[in-house]
């Protein structure tokens, strides 16, 4: 009988927590190796040339290092956090002005709750599974939507079903987040 | 604050998460999310979907020196950030940022209605509107999508009642006459992708003057 591997945290989450809690440079280098090619791909897909795309990569990765204290694995996965930083950065560079951002929640630093993190990671696993199972045209639509290639009216007209799939897949995480936010108020 | 009843739609949240919403609408979304735990959670869900797409993206190999440059930059002093304005009274932080940290400087539109335009570009405009209790915003249609977030008081129109924190999402087909409830003056943050078209004659003549 074999024991299942410890799947309570993805590599990226463990690296990110090591960066946040111990300023671990080896872990940061791993995060770089994981995200830099993807971030460069996203920036170039958004129309930047290779040199500018690398400026975005550098900027985003340094933000990950400097703002690591804001990372909370019980609320959003590393990839969501990096995605948010990258979209903001790319758009600020393109438009030469800051995008309006919601207020930051001011939270008490809490001990990482492994079970909470596990629940979140499981949700994200379901989400990735759901994305992979979409019909190719739908998957393309979702990709375009989150890469900023569709306008609001295009998203409204063309991605309804796929967005519904995504929404239903992350319900658990959302319920928990909602609960926590209520307690914060 | 009463429970928020009118929320943002999934397409609006998805477009905002992808940073592809015009500035005027993005301000309304950021302001509503600042007030609404439910929409904050749903926005996080869309960012998680964005993160999942990022994970699955075919990457582009960074040039050889980039990794060393990034690692070397970790020790550089943190760039000093300009402090962002904080929430002040009824105005959430992103609205205070658009106001550059100052209280609104209202301009009179007639009938006691006042406004301050916060941002206008080729893609749309966003303004604060101040409507005295019981007063109607002139009958108007709009070229495209109109988002109205209530920051104080409440209003009603043909489609329903909107209280503090609620956001009304009106398509081009809606010709409505919002009327402020009795009680507090109604203060809203309103974004359109086109100048508001007023149907009463006088406001229409005023339109070019006031950019409403």
């Amino acid at each position: 009988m074999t024991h299942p591997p410890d799947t309570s945290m993805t590599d990226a989450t463990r690296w990110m927590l090591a960066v946040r809690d111990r300023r671990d440079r080896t872990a940061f280098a791993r995060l770089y190796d994981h995200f830099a090619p993807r971030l460069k791909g996203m920036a170039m897909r958004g129309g930047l040339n290779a040199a500018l795309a690398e400026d975005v990569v550098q900027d985003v990765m340094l933000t990950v290092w400097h703002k690591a204290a804001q990372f909370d694995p019980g609320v959003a996965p590393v990839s969501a956090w990096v995605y948010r930083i990258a979209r903001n950065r790319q758009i600020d560079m393109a438009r030469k002005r800051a995008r309006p951002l919601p207020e930051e929640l001011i939270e008490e630093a809490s001990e990482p709750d492994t079970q909470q993190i596990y629940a979140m990671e499981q949700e994200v696993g379901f989400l990735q599974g759901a994305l992979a199972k979409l019909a190719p045209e739908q998957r393309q639509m979702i990709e375009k939507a989150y890469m900023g290639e569709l306008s609001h009216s295009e998203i409204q007209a063309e991605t309804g079903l796929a967005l519904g799939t995504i929404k239903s897949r992350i319900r658990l995480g959302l319920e928990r987040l909602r609960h926590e936010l209520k307690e914060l108020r | 604050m009463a429970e928020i009843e009118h929320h943002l739609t999934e397409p609006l949240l998805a477009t905002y998460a992808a940073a592809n919403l015009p500035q005027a609408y993005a301000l309304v979304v950021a302001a509503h999310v600042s007030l609404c735990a439910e929409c904050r959670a749903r926005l996080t869900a869309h960012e998680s979907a964005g993160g999942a797409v990022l994970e699955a993206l075919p990457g582009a190999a960074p040039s050889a020196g980039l990794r060393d440059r990034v690692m070397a930059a970790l020790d550089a002093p943190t760039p000093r950030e300009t402090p962002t304005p904080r929430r002040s009274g009824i105005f959430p932080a992103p609205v205070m940022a658009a106001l550059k940290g100052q209280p609104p400087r209202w301009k009179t539109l007639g009938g006691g209605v006042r406004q301050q335009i916060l941002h206008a570009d080729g893609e749309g405009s966003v303004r604060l509107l101040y409507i005295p209790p019981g007063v109607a915003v002139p009958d108007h249609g709009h070229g495209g999508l109109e988002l109205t977030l209530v920051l104080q008081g409440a209003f009603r129109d043909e489609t329903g009642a909107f209280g503090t924190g609620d956001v009304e999402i009106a398509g081009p087909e809606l010709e409505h006459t919002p009327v402020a409830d009795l009680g507090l003056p109604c203060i809203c943050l309103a974004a359109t992708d086109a100048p508001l078209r007023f149907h009463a004659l006088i406001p229409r003549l005023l339109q070019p003057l006031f950019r409403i």
Side-chain angles (χ1 to χ4, degrees), chain A:
Chain A
M1 195 178 137
T2 55
H3 289 281
D6 177 18
T7 51
S8 63
M9 272 190 222
T10 63
D11 288 344
T13 306
R14 273 189 280 110
W15 296 331
M16 193 61 228
L17 288 174
V19 168
R20 185 189 76 175
D21 300 336
R22 300 194 300 276
R23 310 308 280 156
D24 183 328
R25 281 161 194 261
T26 312
F28 179 79
R30 296 242 159 87
L31 279 175
Y32 173 91
D33 291 338
H34 181 79
F35 282 110
R38 293 173 168 88
L39 288 170
K40 186 176 175 184
M42 176 158 86
M44 291 184 72
R45 193 170 159 154
L48 296 182
N49 65 32
L52 283 175
E54 294 203 343
D55 286 350
V56 172
V57 174
Q58 174 159 359
D59 226 275
V60 171
M61 291 312 298
L62 288 176
T63 305
V64 166
W65 175 259
H66 289 303
K67 299 217 165 149
Q70 292 176 8
F71 173 67
D72 182 347
V75 167
V78 185
S79 57
W81 194 62
V82 172
Y83 171 81
R84 180 202 293 176
I85 294 170
R87 293 313 300 165
N88 287 343
R89 192 64 207 127
Q90 201 168 328
I91 265 40
D92 290 355
M93 273 176 85
R95 295 198 180 160
K96 305 268 192 287
R97 65 161 177 265
R99 185 168 94 94
L101 297 177
E103 275 167 28
E104 297 282 346
L105 292 176
I106 298 140
E107 291 177 63
E108 299 283 308
S110 57
E111 286 297 302
D113 176 341
T114 320
Q115 221 170 354
Q116 221 177 62
I117 300 171
Y118 176 62
M120 172 60 72
E121 306 250 288
Q122 208 174 22
E123 285 299 305
V124 173
F126 289 149
L127 176 63
Q128 283 167 338
L131 278 175
K133 273 187 228 131
L134 287 175
E137 317 81 65
Q138 278 209 329
R139 200 190 141 75
Q140 266 187 354
M141 274 299 158
I142 288 294
E143 254 180 48
K144 282 185 175 179
Y146 289 108
M147 290 296 113
E149 293 159 17
L150 297 183
S151 69
H152 168 248
S153 49
E154 286 168 332
I155 289 182
Q156 202 169 23
E158 297 180 40
T159 58
L161 189 58
L163 278 184
T165 310
I166 281 172
K167 199 184 162 195
S168 65
R169 292 276 44 150
I170 25 193
R171 189 167 302 143
L172 194 151
L174 286 184
E175 287 308 323
R176 233 210 48 258
L177 183 56
R178 233 171 245 150
H179 177 71
E180 283 191 358
L181 288 166
K182 278 217 175 94
E183 290 189 337
L184 273 174
R185 287 208 290 181

Side-chain angles (χ1 to χ4, degrees), chain B residues 168-184:
Chain B
E168 181 180 45
I169 300 165
E173 69 290 344
L174 182 69
E175 302 227 336
H176 58 153
T177 309
V179 179
D181 282 8
L182 298 175
L184 284 174

Side-chain angles (χ1 to χ4, degrees), chain B residues 19 41 84 100-101:
Chain B
T84 43
K100 302 188 172 64

Side-chain angles (χ1 to χ4, degrees), chain B residues 14 19 38 51 54 58 63 69 71-72 77 97 109 113 117-118 135 138 147 166 171 182 189 203 205 210:
Chain B
E38 157 121 16
L54 178 66
S63 54
R69 285 205 299 283
M71 294 307 290
L109 283 177
V113 179
I117 295 174
L118 296 177
V135 169
L147 298 183
D166 281 338
L182 298 175
L189 178 70
L205 291 175
F210 289 114

Side-chain angles (χ1 to χ4, degrees), chain B:
Chain B
M1 192 189 287
E3 200 75 15
I4 293 175
E5 277 176 34
H6 298 276
H7 296 276
L8 296 164
T9 61
E10 301 306 331
L12 276 170
L13 287 166
T15 320
Y16 176 82
N20 205 27
L21 208 53
Q23 188 87 351
Y25 298 130
L27 180 58
V28 179
V29 170
H32 178 79
V33 168
S34 300
L35 303 174
C36 177
E38 157 121 16
C39 288
R40 187 184 287 271
R42 286 162 62 217
L43 175 61
T44 305
H46 285 286
E47 287 166 347
S48 302
V53 169
L54 178 66
E55 286 283 353
L57 214 60
S63 54
L66 186 61
R67 191 180 197 261
D68 290 343
R69 285 205 299 283
V70 171
M71 294 307 290
L74 296 187
D75 289 323
T78 324
R80 250 196 130 43
E81 291 201 19
T82 42
T84 43
R86 313 203 15 196
R87 177 189 294 234
S88 172
I90 60 166
F91 301 114
V95 174
M96 284 313 291
L99 282 165
K100 302 188 172 64
Q102 302 297 314
R105 287 192 300 272
W106 300 108
K107 289 208 165 67
T108 322
L109 283 177
V113 179
R114 304 180 219 163
Q115 74 163 352
Q116 179 180 349
I117 295 174
L118 296 177
H119 176 83
D121 61 26
E123 292 182 307
S125 62
V126 59
R127 74 202 67 225
L128 287 168
L129 278 172
Y130 175 105
I131 310 153
V135 169
V137 174
D139 190 20
H140 66 284
H142 20 88
L145 180 69
E146 182 185 51
L147 298 183
T148 309
L149 169 67
V150 182
L151 297 173
Q152 174 184 293
F155 74 82
R156 250 156 241 282
D157 68 10
E158 290 79 349
T159 70
F162 298 84
T164 306
D166 281 338
V167 61
E168 181 180 45
I169 300 165
E173 69 290 344
L174 182 69
E175 302 227 336
H176 58 153
T177 309
V179 179
D181 282 8
L182 298 175
L184 284 174
C186 181
I187 296 179
C188 296
L189 178 70
T192 53
D193 67 352
L196 289 175
R197 291 181 276 114
F198 282 88
H199 291 158
L201 179 64
I202 302 285
R204 196 172 346 155
L205 291 175
L206 290 178
Q207 202 162 316
L209 283 179
F210 289 114
R211 288 203 288 164
I212 190 169

